[in-house]
Amino acid sequence: METTTNPTNPTTPTPTTPDISFYFALHRHMRADLVRYVDTIEALTPADRATRLPALVRWVKGFVCELDEHHWSEDETFFPEMRARIPSVADVLDALDAEHKQMDVLLARWPGLIADLADRSQPFEPARSAALAMGRELTDLMTTHLDVEDNDILPMYWRHYTAAEYDAIQQTAIKKSKKKGFAFIAPWCVDSVEGAERKAFLAQVPWVMRAFHRLVRPRYDRLIAAAYGPETPARG
């Protein structure tokens, strides 16, 4: 199958070229958040059970919803359509599907592990070790998984799809989405892009989505600050 080792668009953008920059941005955000989570858990002390950990419990719940939604869209829409159109990627998609199932097991355990770490009745160090081990395992698996998607799967959209075809797949994925935890997912997705790219992204979404983002944004920013520290920049 065709592969690339450089996950950037090798073509000059045109009206007929799919714009998958947001897909790459989501992947970068996932990697960064997992690293931030592991770094934070490493530095926790029992005193954080009264402050940071309750927020981390809520953050984990939201981030699990985001990862589950992302994988659902790939499993139900993006990957089956590509498998039918480009048979040469079938083996890679099979491997990615197997990794999604591995991640499902970790994601199902994650809320319970972080809840135990926040629970003052539980011994702190064993709970922290368990949450940290799971975070490291998920980070390692997700990193290699996303590298394969970025290098071997996403470039197929530039090579085999028009912009209109890719947009149609996106719309199908949106219609079939679970929409669970959207009060977290919406601002999280917006935070995947910055500057002019972020403004362009917000400008192109339906007005009702922009209104919803403005509604949930303050609560999301407070959650991020509580979980990861006041140095986390608020985003309007």
Side-chain angles (χ1 to χ4, degrees):
M1 62 171 290
E2 299 176 82
T3 63
T4 178
T5 57
N6 182 13
T8 57
N9 191 339
T11 65
T12 300
T14 72
T16 60
T17 302
D19 180 2
I20 58 174
S21 59
F22 187 59
Y23 214 138
F24 285 121
L26 293 176
H27 286 178
R28 289 193 298 271
H29 196 177
M30 290 173 189
R31 290 184 184 94
D33 268 7
L34 286 168
V35 170
R36 179 173 62 170
Y37 168 83
V38 168
D39 289 346
T40 298
I41 298 300
E42 285 181 323
L44 289 177
T45 69
D48 289 307
R49 283 180 155 169
T51 55
R52 177 169 286 186
L53 269 161
L56 280 167
V57 169
R58 298 194 302 274
W59 180 87
V60 166
K61 180 180 179 181
F63 192 50
V64 166
C65 286
E66 158 54 32
L67 295 179
D68 180 62
E69 184 69 65
H70 188 81
H71 293 163
W72 170 266
S73 293
E74 290 177 336
D75 293 341
E76 294 295 316
T77 304
F78 285 96
F79 289 174
E81 198 284 335
M82 182 177 285
R83 184 189 297 272
R85 179 181 292 230
I86 315 171
S88 62
V89 303
D91 289 346
V92 177
L93 294 177
D94 286 344
L96 293 174
D97 179 66
E99 289 176 351
H100 279 179
K101 290 180 172 59
Q102 288 179 259
M103 287 183 230
D104 287 344
V105 174
L106 296 176
L107 295 179
R109 292 176 51 215
W110 197 0
L113 291 173
I114 194 67
D116 284 347
L117 183 53
D119 185 350
R120 298 184 191 186
S121 70
Q122 300 292 327
F124 181 79
E125 283 303 331
R128 188 170 75 96
S129 295
L132 186 57
M134 197 288 312
R136 287 171 174 163
E137 183 178 357
L138 181 60
T139 299
D140 290 345
L141 178 58
M142 185 69 79
T143 297
T144 57
H145 179 87
L146 296 179
D147 286 349
V148 172
E149 288 191 5
D150 286 353
N151 292 329
D152 297 341
I153 295 300
L154 296 189
M156 294 297 108
Y157 290 113
W158 294 321
R159 297 169 181 165
H160 297 276
Y161 293 77
T162 66
E165 289 170 337
Y166 179 74
D167 288 346
I169 296 169
Q170 278 191 308
Q171 292 305 311
T172 298
I174 291 170
K175 290 177 183 177
K176 294 171 66 174
S177 65
K178 294 181 178 181
K179 300 178 179 64
K180 180 181 178 181
F182 201 62
F184 180 96
I185 293 173
W188 184 93
C189 287
V190 171
D191 277 5
S192 297
V193 291
E194 296 181 349
E197 187 178 0
R198 186 165 182 259
K199 291 180 180 179
F201 170 72
L202 284 171
Q204 70 183 4
V205 301
W207 71 267
V208 67
M209 297 295 293
R210 291 196 296 274
F212 181 77
H213 173 254
R214 288 195 296 270
L215 177 66
V216 301
R217 185 83 228 183
R219 182 179 181 184
Y220 176 84
D221 285 338
R222 289 193 297 271
L223 173 62
I224 298 303
Y228 291 110
E231 70 276 6
T232 302
R235 299 174 185 268

